[in-house]
Amino acid sequence: IVATKPGLVVYGSNERDRYYGNEERIEEGASVRFKQTIITIPDMRRMGVKVNIQESHIKKIETGQEVRITADAEPDKILRGEVKKVAVLPDSRRSFLSPNQKVYPTEIHIEGTHDWLKPGMSAKVEIITGRLTDVLRIPLQSVMVEEGEMVTYVRRGAKPERRVIEAGEFNDEFIEVTGGLQEGEFVYLSRPELAGTAESS
């Protein structure tokens, strides 16, 4: 097969073979089966990201939501995108391997064209499900669940104080505090007996 112009092709693969672990390598001398995908030609003008959303978060995800994407190859560059497709049913293959963990395949389209972006790259995706302004927040790791209550440990003089709090929205770094804390108080990043004197304000 001879290309008529320079470009990029990606070795094809069969989803079923990859799932069962018997995928054949595309190489010189390999046998080709009927309807086997050998190569694909990606459209570099329309790049996207495929992510799996956990069942606990899927209700927050909708098409049209704004997305921030950071590729591992260029961690200092933030790309913009949009949620284009959310699966109605969980991934049956993953459900078979992990029955207690259901994930929903979701497609993100990246805005613009980026010459350095290549198929197969790993990326971090942040889907903006809501925006909060003028809220009190603390690091997510500072909050623990004890006896069914959400608690954090606050520096009170020379000793830590266990404080029951009320929490709102959260992401992978911070959690909104709607009650039980005041701005400017110091909280421990984990239980004081485990963390020494590590604190955050």
Side-chain angles (χ1 to χ4, degrees):
I1 302 175
V2 180
T4 58
K5 63 175 66 175
L8 176 69
V9 297
V10 179
Y11 283 144
S13 62
N14 183 286
E15 293 289 338
R16 182 177 181 277
D17 287 345
R18 190 187 326 176
Y19 175 63
Y20 286 105
N22 59 351
E23 180 182 7
E24 294 182 12
R25 295 183 58 184
I26 305 297
E27 59 184 357
E28 184 177 357
S31 299
V32 179
R33 302 187 308 277
F34 179 61
K35 290 189 176 182
Q36 178 183 356
T37 301
I38 302 175
I39 60 174
T40 58
I41 304 175
D43 185 352
M44 305 298 290
R45 299 167 299 175
R46 295 178 57 83
M47 298 291 286
V49 185
K50 291 184 178 180
V51 297
N52 291 314
I53 306 297
Q54 297 286 343
E55 183 180 22
S56 58
H57 298 297
I58 193 62
K59 290 183 179 180
K60 298 181 180 180
I61 308 302
E62 300 175 354
T63 57
Q65 288 175 324
E66 178 187 349
V67 182
R68 288 196 293 258
I69 306 110
T70 307
D72 291 354
E74 295 283 353
D76 296 331
K77 296 180 179 178
I78 298 179
L79 307 177
R80 302 292 175 179
E82 180 182 342
V83 177
K84 283 296 184 181
K85 185 178 179 181
V86 182
V88 178
L89 299 175
D91 189 333
S92 58
R93 294 171 301 167
R94 289 181 177 267
S95 297
F96 176 78
L97 295 174
S98 303
N100 297 327
Q101 185 179 23
K102 295 182 180 179
V103 295
Y104 291 75
T106 301
E107 294 182 10
I108 311 295
H109 284 195
I110 300 174
E111 295 178 358
T113 302
H114 311 274
D115 294 337
W116 56 269
L117 200 59
K118 306 297 182 185
M121 285 184 172
S122 298
K124 176 184 177 182
V125 171
E126 295 178 272
I127 301 176
I128 311 301
T129 59
R131 295 184 184 276
L132 302 176
T133 59
D134 194 24
V135 298
L136 180 64
R137 65 177 188 175
I138 60 175
L140 187 61
Q141 67 194 86
S142 298
V143 180
M144 292 142 270
V145 178
E146 296 179 354
E147 299 177 357
E149 297 178 317
M150 299 189 73
V151 303
T152 190
Y153 286 85
V154 182
R155 186 176 68 182
R156 195 75 168 175
K159 295 182 179 180
E161 175 186 295
R162 182 180 182 273
R163 189 82 60 83
V164 177
I165 64 170
E166 296 176 9
E169 298 293 330
F170 62 92
N171 57 21
D172 58 346
E173 296 181 4
F174 295 98
I175 184 168
E176 176 192 9
V177 178
T178 58
L181 276 180
Q182 304 234 345
E183 184 177 355
E185 290 187 294
F186 286 85
V187 297
Y188 289 81
L189 295 178
S190 59
R191 289 188 181 88
E193 63 269 24
L194 300 178
T197 56
E199 301 170 350
S200 177
S201 61

